Amino acid sequence: VTPDGKYVYTSNPGSGTISGFAVGANGALTPISGTVLVTLPSGSTNLDIAVSANGKFLYTLDSGTGTVGEFSINSDGTLNSLGEVGGISVSAGFNGIAAN
């Protein structure tokens, strides 16, 4: 969930995707841009996601490829890929991810 409570994102490890929803004043969820916002690179299993404290970035911990995916969060809740950072064990992911 973004710090302002406007958007919520879900990690879908089975399909290697991230879905996003706008949160209404009454708590109702509305899919953002067809719901599935991002499909991760082949072989990635996004085990966990985290939103930065300022609400501008979303990060994925991708087991199977040993990467952290970086995304900017647009004002409408959609995501833009900023690339990946590697160097993590391909079996990483059991402890989760945190963003600041």
Side-chain angles (χ1 to χ4, degrees):
V1 178
T2 56
D4 61 9
K6 291 173 68 174
Y7 303 106
V8 61
Y9 300 94
T10 63
S11 175
N12 310 310
S15 61
T17 60
I18 298 171
S19 299
F21 302 87
V23 181
N26 63 354
L29 300 178
T30 303
I32 299 171
S33 209
T35 307
V36 174
L37 301 179
V38 174
T39 300
L40 300 173
S42 180
S44 293
T45 302
N46 49 325
L47 295 177
D48 204 356
I49 58 176
V51 174
S52 63
N54 64 6
K56 294 182 179 183
F57 302 97
L58 181 139
Y59 302 94
T60 64
L61 178 58
D62 302 332
S63 179
T65 56
T67 59
V68 171
E70 303 173 295
F71 302 89
S72 61
I73 301 174
N74 298 315
S75 61
D76 63 357
T78 58
L79 302 175
N80 287 334
S81 176
L82 300 175
E84 299 174 316
V85 175
I88 300 171
S89 168
V90 294
S91 61
F94 300 107
N95 292 322
I97 187 170
N100 185 0

